């Protein structure tokens, strides 16, 4: 007899996500539904605003994605105005965006996702000497690996546990059979969890050097950047490079080895394709490598679509083929509309009560997230999508990095199509970004040393803003991000943002096809239905991010309030 379980809220993520799953008698997931339980609505706030201010407002879509909505919004306005930024502005923007990747990916793995693989309390049973041997098993230069250090980590954790003050570690499913690390492997990973807390500061400083502040940078404007004094001061670029070297060392001595350790221990899950999902991937392409402008020049990560896990063919990306379906979303309308003509008219219809529990109305509308499609296909976006598309396109850097990691783990390419593969892709990408950042910093230093301080392209606002439309396409750390803007008489007429989690956490479309989260959970067997650790592991591997609300519901399905945006 099947049973239905509800996981709400999914913790250790930004925002509000609910998963409902139907299990068979073996606790294997037969069907799943994902619901974003809060309304964003920033698009409505942007209507009637000056398009030059859109970036500053749009960045408030999220406090975790920080600058991505900022610069993507500005790219949309620049596209509408036909403005191309100078070379130095391109480099500065890459440095700011790359800094976010170095901040975001390690934080995601260690502080939002690792505890789905790491049994924290098990580390108390570890032999510190054996833990050192484990650390050297996956790299010749492990980060912070010594008997003394590991003992201190155990004493710190043991003190919390003895006093019943586990804090953020309290309430975990410790001891669940799906945890497979040995006590020593858990201790190594836990040690790096704590180290990563300190490493965050350095990555945040990197963004602030040219962005002015973190998490929300302020130096990017329509036409370029404003941080002229920072780029003409050699000590500022030198500080960025010093911080980058430290971050890169942590990536190679802790992050990548920990992923290899997970690949070694959890290899059977990866080979079985647990969490594979749609196996169709979309990437917009990002990190401009020349000054041709977005969508026209070369990018560090190429754009394209791969269908059904077939790495032999890549379809070119065309922004005109993006649409959003509203049939199962709490909005008026149901037609698949392109974002230029997209609508954001809320139509909350509530949950369906069964006894004391309110379930999603899965036959009707059940999520605040829309259901985007590309050329009629349901797709996944994110680090794995970027690497899959780059790999299929034959990008030499991406192929070398992916093949090298697979070879070190003794794994085939097919393991990429799994929860494990999705987690590993994020680490591989972080290493690639760190390498690229070094090159961009050197190029910027060379330009400024030669006297090139150009950072902004002038434009006639009154002329270009009479009637225009444009799209800003980029890649947030967690996936493909697009902003679309229509401008009339100097004001924003319509604005739509299709964010990474819209692609991945979406409900069914009009054809009844599942979104990426929903598809990825099928076939997953839970060791204990009361501890849905396996659901968290796969959902967290996408790095969910649901943000900003003006409408609330409680767990009983009651409407708590509605706010009208003026």
């Amino acid at each position: 007899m099947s049973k239905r379980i509800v996981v709400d809220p999914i913790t250790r993520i930004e925002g509000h996500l609910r998963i409902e799953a139907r299990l068979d008698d073996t606790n294997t997931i037969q069907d799943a539904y994902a619901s974003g339980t809060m309304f964003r609505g920033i698009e409505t706030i942007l209507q009637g605003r000056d398009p030059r201010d859109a970036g500053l407002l749009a960045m408030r879509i999220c406090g975790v994605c920080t600058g991505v909505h900022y610069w993507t919004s500005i790219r949309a306005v620049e596209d509408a105005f036909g403005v191309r930024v100078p070379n130095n502005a391109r480099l500065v923007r890459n440095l700011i965006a790359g800094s976010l990747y170095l901040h975001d990916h390690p934080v995601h793995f260690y502080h939002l996702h690792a505890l789905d693989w790491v049994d924290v309390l098990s580390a108390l049973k570890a032999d510190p000497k054996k833990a050192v041997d484990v650390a050297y098993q996956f790299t010749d230069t492990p980060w912070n690996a010594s008997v003394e250090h590991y003992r201190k980590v155990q004493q710190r954790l043991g003190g919390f546990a003895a006093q019943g003050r586990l804090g953020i570690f309290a309430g975990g499913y410790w001891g669940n059979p799906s945890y497979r690390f040995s006590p020593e492997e858990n201790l190594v990973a836990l040690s790096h969890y704590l180290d990563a807390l300190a490493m965050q500061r350095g990555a945040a400083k990197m963004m602030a050097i040219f962005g002015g502040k973190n998490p929300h940078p302020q130096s990017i404007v329509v036409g370029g950047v404003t941080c002229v004094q920072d780029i003409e001061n050699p000590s500022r670029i030198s500080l960025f490079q010093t911080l980058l070297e430290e971050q890169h060392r942590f990536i190679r001595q802790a992050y990548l080895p920990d992923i290899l350790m997970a690949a070694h221990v959890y290899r059977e899950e990866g080979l079985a394709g647990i969490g594979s999902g749609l196996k169709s991937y979309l990437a917009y392409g990002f990190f401009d490598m020349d000054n041709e402008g977005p969508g026209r020049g070369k990018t560090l990560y190429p754009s394209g679509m791969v269908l059904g896990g077939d790495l032999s063919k890549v379809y070119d990306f065309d922004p005109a083929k993006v649409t959003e379906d509203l049939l199962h979303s709490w909005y008026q309308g149901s037609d698949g509309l392109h974002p230029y003509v997209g609508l954001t008219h809320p139509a909350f219809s509530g949950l369906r009560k069964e006894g004391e529990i309110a379930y999603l109305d899965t036959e009707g509308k059940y999520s605040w997230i829309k259901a985007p499609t590309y050329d009629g296909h349901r797709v996944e976006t994110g680090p794995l999508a970027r690497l899959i598309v780059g790999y299929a396109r034959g990008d030499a850097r991406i192929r070398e990095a992916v093949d090298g990691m697979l070879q070190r783990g003794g794994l085939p390419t097919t393991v990429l199509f799994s929860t494990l593969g999705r987690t590993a892709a994020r680490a591989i990408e972080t290493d690639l970004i760190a390498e690229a950042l070094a090159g961009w910093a050197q190029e910027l230093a060379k330009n400024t040393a030669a006297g090139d301080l150009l950072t902004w392209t002038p434009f006639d606002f009154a002329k270009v803003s009479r009637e225009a439309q444009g799209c800003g396409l980029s890649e947030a750390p967690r996936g493909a991000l697009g902003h679309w803007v229509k401008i009339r008489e100097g004001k924003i007429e319509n604005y739509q943002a299709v964010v990474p989690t819209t692609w991945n956490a979406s409900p069914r479309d009009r054809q009844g096809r599942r979104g990426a989260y929903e598809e990825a959970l099928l076939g997953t067997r839970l060791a204990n239905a009361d501890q849905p650790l396996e659901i968290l592991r796969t959902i967290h591997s996408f790095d969910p991010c649901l943000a900003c609300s003006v409408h609330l519901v409680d767990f009983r399905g009651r409407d708590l309030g509605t706010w009208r945006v003026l």
Side-chain angles (χ1 to χ4, degrees), residues 339-358:
Y340 275 138
V341 293
L343 303 173
T344 306
H345 296 157
F348 183 63
S349 54
L351 282 69
R352 180 172 48 80
K353 293 288 292 290
E354 292 184 17
E356 294 297 317
I357 300 177

Side-chain angles (χ1 to χ4, degrees), residues 238-548:
S238 178
L239 175 58
F240 183 94
Q241 292 169 321
T242 300
L243 292 167
L244 171 60
E245 289 173 3
E246 183 71 356
Q247 296 293 320
H248 205 177
R249 197 165 66 86
F250 180 76
I251 292 162
R252 291 194 164 174
Q253 296 181 1
Y255 192 5
L256 288 171
D258 286 347
I259 293 297
L260 278 173
M261 184 169 69
H264 175 72
V265 175
Y266 289 89
R267 62 181 291 120
E268 295 305 321
E269 292 186 16
L271 292 171
I274 299 298
S276 58
L278 298 169
K279 297 176 72 172
S280 292
Y281 305 92
L282 176 69
Y284 289 166
F286 190 48
F287 289 109
D288 297 333
M289 301 298 287
D290 56 38
N291 298 312
E292 296 300 313
R296 292 179 286 271
K298 184 181 179 183
T299 53
L300 181 69
Y301 291 112
S303 64
M305 177 175 68
V306 170
L307 293 176
D310 181 3
L311 297 176
S312 69
K313 189 171 185 178
V314 184
Y315 299 85
D316 289 340
F317 171 65
D318 179 357
K321 295 180 179 179
V322 175
T323 59
E324 289 190 299
D325 191 308
L326 307 179
L327 185 64
H328 289 290
S329 305
W330 285 313
Y331 298 97
Q332 297 176 22
S334 62
D335 294 334
L337 297 177
H338 187 273
Y340 275 138
V341 293
L343 303 173
T344 306
H345 296 157
F348 183 63
S349 54
L351 282 69
R352 180 172 48 80
K353 293 288 292 290
E354 292 184 17
E356 294 297 317
I357 300 177
Y359 290 104
L360 299 173
D361 179 12
T362 55
E363 297 299 317
K365 295 178 180 291
Y366 65 90
S367 178
W368 282 111
I369 300 172
K370 299 176 183 178
T373 61
Y374 176 75
D375 198 18
H377 298 282
R378 305 308 310 270
V379 294
E380 173 182 337
T381 73
L384 179 58
R386 288 191 285 268
L387 293 194
I388 290 289
V389 169
Y391 193 94
R393 284 210 180 276
D395 184 283
R397 293 178 69 253
I398 291 174
R399 276 192 169 255
E400 181 180 359
V402 172
D403 287 339
M405 193 72 168
L406 291 173
Q407 186 175 14
R408 292 171 67 187
L411 294 164
T413 309
T414 53
V415 80
L416 294 171
F417 308 123
S418 67
T419 296
L420 179 64
R422 195 174 294 114
T423 301
R426 190 168 270 104
I428 296 170
E429 179 175 80
T430 312
D431 189 43
L432 287 170
I433 291 287
E435 288 181 348
L437 280 169
W440 293 325
Q442 288 178 358
E443 189 177 349
L444 181 63
K446 183 178 178 182
N447 288 351
T448 55
D452 177 7
L453 298 177
L454 187 63
T455 59
W456 187 69
T457 300
F459 57 90
D460 185 341
F461 178 72
K463 181 178 180 181
V464 297
S465 67
R466 288 174 189 154
E467 185 168 1
Q469 66 178 29
C471 66
L473 302 172
S474 70
E475 290 282 339
R478 51 185 53 81
L481 173 63
H483 285 220
W484 283 262
V485 61
K486 295 185 75 169
I487 301 165
R488 184 182 295 274
E489 300 301 332
K491 302 292 184 183
I492 294 174
E493 184 178 60
N494 195 24
Y495 200 99
Q496 291 290 312
V498 183
V499 309
T501 301
T502 309
W503 285 103
N504 292 333
S506 63
R508 264 69 161 171
D509 66 2
R510 64 183 57 252
Q511 298 182 43
R513 297 176 300 182
R514 301 177 184 86
Y517 289 4
E518 297 175 337
E519 190 74 19
L521 292 173
L522 298 186
T524 300
R525 186 173 183 273
L526 309 186
N528 182 345
D530 294 327
Q531 296 183 345
L533 173 64
E534 298 83 353
I535 291 178
L536 299 183
R537 186 178 293 161
T538 289
I539 295 299
H540 286 163
S541 72
F542 287 92
D543 193 9
C545 185
L546 301 97
C548 305

Side-chain angles (χ1 to χ4, degrees), residues 193-212:
Y193 175 106
L194 299 173
D195 293 331
L197 291 170
M199 293 302 297
Q200 286 190 54
R201 289 197 297 271
K205 288 178 182 176
M206 288 172 62
M207 172 183 278
I209 287 173
F210 299 112

